[in-house]
């Protein structure tokens, strides 16, 4: 399944508690249509002491966000829809901004 977002993209949240905030995608789960965005959708997880975390306690971490609530931000900082077109030089599909028409890397 092709998604409009991928790891490393800068995205803007368009719905939910973090609406309007931007961040970088760390992980994408295509099967669940969700992504983890750096610094957004934080949850508190209660953890038992273990060899890695001997103290235990409450840990804050990012939770996955549904990708329908994310829009890719282009180089100018505008949230935009994504299209795909064939590149003439390389004859491969490239993603482009529907707002400005520029190719998104």
């Amino acid at each position: 399944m092709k998604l409009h977002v991928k790891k490393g993209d800068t995205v803007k949240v368009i719905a939910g508690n973090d609406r309007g905030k931007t961040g970088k995608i760390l992980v994408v789960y295509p099967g669940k249509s969700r992504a983890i965005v750096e610094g957004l959708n934080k949850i508190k997880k209660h953890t038992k002491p273990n060899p890695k975390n001997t103290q235990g306690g409450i840990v804050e971490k990012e939770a996955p966000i549904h990708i329908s609530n994310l829009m890719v931000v282009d180089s100018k900082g505008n949230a935009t829809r994504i299209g795909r077109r064939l590149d003439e030089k390389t004859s491969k599909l490239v993603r482009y901004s529907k707002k400005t028409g520029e190719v998104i890397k």
Side-chain angles (χ1 to χ4, degrees):
M1 179 172 147
K2 277 284 190 187
L3 305 176
H4 68 279
V5 294
K6 65 181 186 179
K7 181 180 173 182
D9 282 348
T10 303
V11 293
K12 183 175 186 176
V13 180
I14 59 172
N17 292 338
D18 291 323
R19 180 187 307 154
K21 296 179 184 175
T22 60
K24 186 177 174 184
I25 292 186
L26 301 175
V27 182
V28 177
Y29 302 111
K32 298 179 182 176
S33 297
R34 292 182 174 270
I36 293 181
V37 183
E38 186 177 31
L40 300 179
N41 199 26
K42 291 272 195 163
I43 59 167
K44 291 183 190 303
K45 183 170 176 66
H46 297 257
T47 59
K48 284 183 166 182
N50 57 37
K52 192 174 182 182
N53 183 8
T54 56
Q55 184 73 19
I58 301 171
V59 178
E60 227 179 61
K61 61 182 239 175
E62 294 99 355
I65 304 173
H66 199 274
I67 61 161
S68 66
N69 298 328
L70 302 174
M71 279 186 90
V72 176
V73 175
D74 61 8
S75 61
K76 294 182 176 71
N78 302 322
T80 180
R81 292 179 299 141
I82 297 296
R84 288 183 190 85
R85 66 176 171 216
L86 206 60
D87 190 22
E88 296 85 29
K89 297 173 188 168
T90 61
S91 40
K92 291 186 177 181
L93 277 179
V94 293
R95 299 184 311 154
Y96 72 97
S97 164
K98 290 223 175 178
K99 201 174 258 188
T100 60
E102 69 181 49
V103 174
I104 295 176
K105 303 242 185 282

